[in-house]
Amino acid sequence: MNQETEVTPTAFQQKVYAACSRIPEGKVSTYGSLAKSVGCGSAQAVGQALRVNPFAPQVPCHRVVKSDRSLGGFFGQSSGPEVKRKIRLLEKEGVKLDPSSRVLPAHMWNFT
DNA sequence: ACCGTGACGGCGA
DNA sequence: TTCGCCGCCACGG
């Protein structure tokens, strides 16, 4: 019998996942804004949480990008094939990147 | 209990 | 404008 190797996310992680789930489709948020939502002053800490997100992509962590308007990372990879998958998901939800600079348009920065 | 690492952010040169 | 450094927070070893 397989033992349930179920990891229990910390309270902090669950808050991040919850906040991330609140991001509407077609919109994106930033790690920093999300951090504020969970009462944290560090965007990096949020990244750590999403990095181990066991609920992905159910939890739309792919809608979280850098304040820099760049994509950030996906599944632990700052760049690579997984990040391309992230772009793919966003485009499917109506979020298109600028083909030149590969950054997100500022039109969707309405969600905190 | 301590240190290093990390899907970041802001400021300075 | 671009590149680099430091600072914050949370987590694993």
Side-chain angles (χ1 to χ4, degrees), chain A residues 1-105:
Chain A
M1 288 296 290
N2 289 338
Q3 295 178 322
E4 296 288 350
T5 55
E6 182 174 316
V7 291
T8 304
T10 70
F12 181 75
Q13 310 265 111
Q14 293 181 42
K15 284 195 221 169
V16 176
Y17 303 144
C20 186
S21 306
R22 295 171 211 169
I23 305 176
E25 189 176 302
K27 279 220 169 147
V28 295
S29 183
T30 65
Y31 297 97
S33 299
L34 206 54
K36 299 270 184 122
S37 300
V38 300
C40 179
S42 177
Q44 246 181 355
V46 174
Q48 290 268 40
L50 296 178
R51 178 182 186 280
V52 295
N53 174 17
F55 299 99
Q58 185 187 337
V59 173
C61 54
H62 57 269
R63 292 180 194 154
V64 185
V65 299
K66 294 180 64 168
S67 63
D68 171 64
R69 284 187 260 177
S70 55
L71 280 174
F74 198 51
F75 277 92
Q77 300 179 19
S78 328
S79 65
E82 296 297 338
V83 179
K84 290 186 182 177
R85 190 92 30 123
K86 180 173 181 177
I87 300 173
R88 197 68 167 185
L89 287 167
L90 288 169
E91 293 197 320
K92 280 197 276 197
E93 298 185 354
V95 181
K96 294 172 189 163
L97 291 75
D98 187 295
S100 303
S101 46
R102 295 160 305 192
V103 297
L104 291 162

